[in-house]
Amino acid sequence: MSYVMAGTAATLFGLGTYLLLQRKLSRIIIGLSLLSHGANVLFVNSGRSGVAPFVGKGDAADMADPIPQALVLTAIVISFATTTLLLALAYRSWLLTDDDEVDDDVEDRVIGRHGHLDTEVSDEAALAAAVSVAAEEELPDGHEPEVVP
Amino acid sequence: MNALLALPVVLPLLGAGVSVLVGRSRRAQRAVSITVLTAIAAVAVALLIQVDDRGVVVTSAGGWPAPMGITLVADRFSAVMLLTAAVMLLAVLLYAIGQPGAERNHVGFQSVYLVLAAGVNAAFLTGDLFNLFVGIEMMLTASYVLITLGGRLDQVRSGMTYVVISLMASALFLAALAFTYAAAGTVNMADLAGVVAGLPDGTRAALAGLFLVVFGIKAGLFPLFFWLPDSYPTAPSPVTAIFAGLLTKVGVYAIIRTQTLIFPGALPRWLVLTVAALTMVTGVLGAIAQDDVKRILSFHIISHIGYMIMGLGLATVAGLAGAVFYTVHHIVVKTGLFLTGGLIEHHGGSSRLSRLGNMVRTAPLLAVLFLVPALSLAGIPPLSGFVAKLSLIDAAVADRQWPMVASSVAVSFLTLFALMKIWFGVFWNGPDEPDAIEPPATAAAPGPALMLAPTIVLALGAVLIGLGGGPLYDYSVRAAEQLHDPTAYVAAVLGEGP
């Protein structure tokens, strides 16, 4: 039994991680819920299995460990709430961009562009291409990129 | 039994509920939040005095004894963190009320802010690993809402990164808890301290490493910090200030608590120290490369988390005392700096260095308010950062960790350089770009009084912690002794009857 549960948890973690690495927000969200399912399955499995733990219903040594089950309920509720919030965020993002791709890191591009322009570029064509790519990128607070030829 | 311990968690949650009910009146909401946070600050003072006087204070929810029931524990470290957090929450709330923007435009701000307070306090006071998870989740869920409050495109984009990485860390946390429960059969931290000591070395190291990674994501340790400087700056400035001051420190608190209480000596010291040094260096180098006040400050958070982890890595009483002192100092100074950053943005209309300039003429008060915490962060005497850095470097010298001494001194210089880059860029030199906005030269004050007052108080705090560093350092040493030898903690939790 325990091997089946461990295998399930491992599969869920694997699938979740794969989906988390995609660029579509919808896949990332599904990946995250798979990850938390994996963690929940793992947690349920961390206690002893056995008969239902009621006082007076059999020997205490045969009973399942109720603590992980109680704890997992809390964890499930938390992951439910956060997934809902994440879906709302993704919807907002879709409304704003008409797309559920994750954007490039804008600030990272800005820094990268500084570094690129700082180094001496011997190939004029490559520099011109880099500058035009940089100029097309949308920058925060609408400030125009300084184009240094 | 001690009812004081439950109040910092219960009060803000009740306050959040009331705040929703009186949502129509912003004035009533403000009254509720200010009352609740002031009350928590008072409770925190009372707890601090009690804890320092009598040692560890414990209470069990519902009267169930320790390994079964839910315990709330305050030792010297958590009491001082609680007090610092309460003061910061109050200061930032006042600032948010004064600032036109986030707080005024959103009905939910006050209640979400109170939930955040409850989560932070729960994380500091819990004596149970699973409730640490619940406390951190409570705090994070509130922070997801606060960070995307405006719903602007950049906020949603960077908020998404933040939410996804935090949720991944939470799943990992849960998995780590599952492994811990499977290995030890308990999640009570005091109980774990005894049980884990009997586990094989490999299991202990694996669990300790897993928890270091989980809390390292929250705290922004190298190499898990990449989400932090991206997501913090887009939020409204009071939100960024409280995140910078408190959220990462909750991660640091959790690292120090778990590694000293449950897994002492489970991880090799060189590993923790290397992570600390890399965190310091990467953070400060990242800060130097940036061109935005809030982004520079965000990278500095990472750099300074490294100092706190260095104190932990030294694993001596002096090192831990330095870490405790450094954490308290850093919460005050960093929150102050971000509040000033918000004022700069408010006054100058941007937070980009290339667009700002000459503000020493239009807003001399801001120049001072930025300079004091900035110099403190860099470690210039007589400000708080000097005492904090001195105590850590002293501990490292006593332990003959020369590479750590060298990197912490070098990072101090680089910190000074990066902060002076802001100061010269914003206040002293002219703007780099011809189309920069000129701030209004005739403004009497650079911002509303309610924004200025908390900022001034925090800047004074940096001076006072420096000048009156003796008593606080002595307290940190006593806290560190408790952390270093957790037998009193364990006895207080497990010995407490129903």
Side-chain angles (χ1 to χ4, degrees):
Chain A
M1 184 56 194
S2 182
Y3 285 106
V4 176
M5 296 294 267
T8 315
T11 315
L12 285 171
F13 271 117
L15 288 174
T17 311
Y18 173 75
L19 285 174
L20 200 60
L21 297 175
Q22 306 288 308
R23 291 210 75 164
K24 295 265 184 212
L25 274 181
S26 47
R27 295 189 180 196
I28 292 177
I29 294 172
I30 296 172
L32 272 177
S33 28
L34 288 186
L35 270 187
S36 54
H37 293 338
N40 290 339
V41 169
L42 201 65
F43 210 132
V44 172
N45 208 27
S46 69
R48 196 177 60 225
S49 62
V51 298
F54 290 111
V55 176
K57 299 270 176 187
D59 192 7
D62 298 335
M63 287 178 182
D65 188 350
I67 291 179
Q69 303 180 8
L71 296 182
V72 157
L73 274 182
T74 318
I76 290 174
V77 175
I78 290 175
S79 70
F80 168 69
T82 43
T83 309
T84 320
L85 189 85
L86 199 56
L87 281 170
L89 258 187
Y91 179 65
R92 175 78 191 175
S93 167
W94 184 77
L95 280 184
L96 290 168
T97 59
D98 263 338
D99 190 8
D100 78 346
E101 291 258 318
V102 178
D103 287 330
D104 289 329
D105 188 342
V106 186
E107 286 289 339
D108 189 47
R109 288 298 176 86
V110 173
I111 300 291
R113 188 166 51 87
H114 282 312
H116 194 86
L117 294 180
D118 284 347
T119 51
E120 273 190 51
V121 180
S122 52
D123 186 356
E124 288 293 320
L127 177 62
V131 169
S132 71
V133 166
E136 277 170 19
E137 276 162 8
E138 194 194 352
L139 294 176
D141 37 286
H143 116 98
E144 288 296 312
E146 30 181 327
V147 178
V148 184
Chain B
M1 294 306 284
N2 197 323
L4 274 185
L5 273 174
L7 287 179
V9 185
V10 174
L11 276 183
L13 285 179
L14 284 179
V18 174
S19 184
V20 172
L21 289 180
V22 297
R24 284 171 188 263
S25 156
R26 201 49 50 88
R27 194 170 290 173
Q29 279 194 322
R30 287 173 184 169
V32 169
S33 309
I34 292 175
T35 318
V36 165
L37 291 178
T38 317
I40 295 176
V43 169
V45 171
L47 260 180
L48 188 81
I49 294 170
Q50 209 174 45
V51 165
D52 199 28
D53 199 32
R54 286 198 300 181
V56 183
V57 178
V58 183
T59 191
S60 312
W64 291 90
M68 292 299 137
I70 292 168
T71 44
L72 292 173
V73 191
D75 67 350
R76 293 200 177 100
F77 184 32
S78 46
V80 74
M81 292 295 281
L82 190 72
L83 178 60
T84 322
V87 175
M88 289 311 115
L89 283 163
L90 192 57
V92 173
L93 180 74
L94 292 177
Y95 182 96
I97 290 174
Q99 190 197 39
E103 194 267 343
R104 276 179 213 180
N105 301 335
H106 295 274
V107 149
F109 180 89
Q110 299 277 357
S111 36
V112 175
Y113 191 78
L114 286 177
V115 174
L116 182 91
V120 170
N121 294 344
F124 286 151
L125 288 178
T126 182
D128 180 298
L129 266 186
F130 192 80
N131 278 310
L132 182 63
F133 171 73
V134 175
I136 288 181
E137 278 310 299
M138 201 147 68
M139 166 189 105
L140 286 177
T141 312
S143 74
Y144 303 152
V145 179
L146 287 176
I147 207 166
T148 52
L149 206 58
R152 291 198 320 265
L153 182 58
D154 58 331
Q155 287 184 338
V156 171
R157 190 193 69 81
S158 56
M160 208 67 187
T161 321
Y162 174 69
V163 177
V164 168
I165 194 79
S166 302
L167 286 183
M168 209 209 73
S170 301
L172 210 56
F173 192 175
L174 206 56
L177 279 172
F179 290 135
T180 311
Y181 190 84
T186 175
V187 282
N188 183 291
M189 291 203 259
D191 203 13
L192 273 175
V195 181
V196 167
L199 293 177
D201 278 352
T203 317
R204 282 173 62 215
L207 289 178
L210 209 48
F211 278 110
L212 185 67
V213 169
V214 168
F215 298 132
I217 296 178
K218 318 258 186 215
L221 285 191
F222 179 88
L224 308 162
F225 61 84
F226 53 89
W227 55 273
L228 194 152
D230 224 24
S231 50
Y232 278 16
T234 52
S237 39
V239 174
T240 319
I242 205 69
F243 282 18
L246 288 184
L247 297 205
T248 46
K249 303 313 173 302
V250 172
V252 171
Y253 171 84
I255 291 177
I256 294 182
R257 174 66 72 208
T258 48
Q259 301 294 334
T260 55
L261 177 61
I262 307 177
F263 307 107
L267 288 177
R269 282 200 331 164
W270 63 263
L271 178 75
V272 182
L273 287 175
T274 313
V275 167
L278 285 173
T279 311
M280 277 181 211
V281 174
T282 336
V284 83
L285 291 182
I288 290 173
Q290 301 294 322
D291 175 54
D292 184 293
V293 175
K294 284 177 167 186
R295 286 182 67 89
I296 295 180
L297 292 178
S298 296
F299 268 103
H300 272 302
I301 305 174
I302 300 163
S303 169
H304 290 263
I305 297 290
Y307 282 95
M308 298 163 210
I309 300 305
M310 168 180 148
L312 170 71
L314 292 173
T316 57
V317 171
L320 285 171
V324 173
F325 192 100
Y326 205 99
T327 313
V328 172
H329 134 79
H330 191 250
I331 292 178
V332 176
V333 167
K334 202 77 214 185
T335 315
L337 273 177
F338 269 100
L339 291 186
T340 317
L343 279 166
I344 292 174
E345 205 174 22
H346 179 84
H347 182 68
S350 169
S351 63
R352 285 198 171 269
L353 296 185
S354 49
R355 309 190 80 193
L356 292 165
N358 291 334
M359 272 175 69
V360 72
R361 260 180 275 145
T362 57
L365 180 61
L366 284 189
V368 176
L369 280 182
F370 189 85
L371 196 63
V372 171
L375 291 180
S376 170
L377 203 61
I380 306 289
L383 300 163
S384 59
F386 172 69
V387 188
K389 286 210 165 92
L390 183 69
S391 57
L392 272 177
I393 293 175
D394 200 33
V397 169
D399 209 35
R400 300 181 181 280
Q401 297 285 348
W402 304 119
M404 293 312 294
V405 176
S407 59
S408 46
V409 172
V411 169
S412 288
F413 280 114
L414 292 174
T415 306
L416 187 63
F417 171 72
L419 288 167
M420 287 305 108
K421 184 177 149 180
I422 300 185
W423 200 78
F424 280 103
V426 172
F427 295 106
W428 201 251
N429 298 338
D432 299 342
E433 290 173 20
D435 64 333
I437 320 153
E438 272 293 315
T442 51
L450 259 182
M451 284 171 82
L452 281 171
T455 320
I456 294 173
V457 168
L458 294 189
L460 283 179
V463 179
L464 282 180
I465 294 177
L467 291 179
L472 183 60
Y473 183 71
D474 291 341
Y475 180 88
S476 306
V477 172
R478 291 199 294 277
E481 279 162 0
Q482 241 173 14
L483 288 172
H484 195 252
D485 178 22
T487 43
Y489 183 100
V490 174
V493 174
L494 296 183
E496 162 106 356

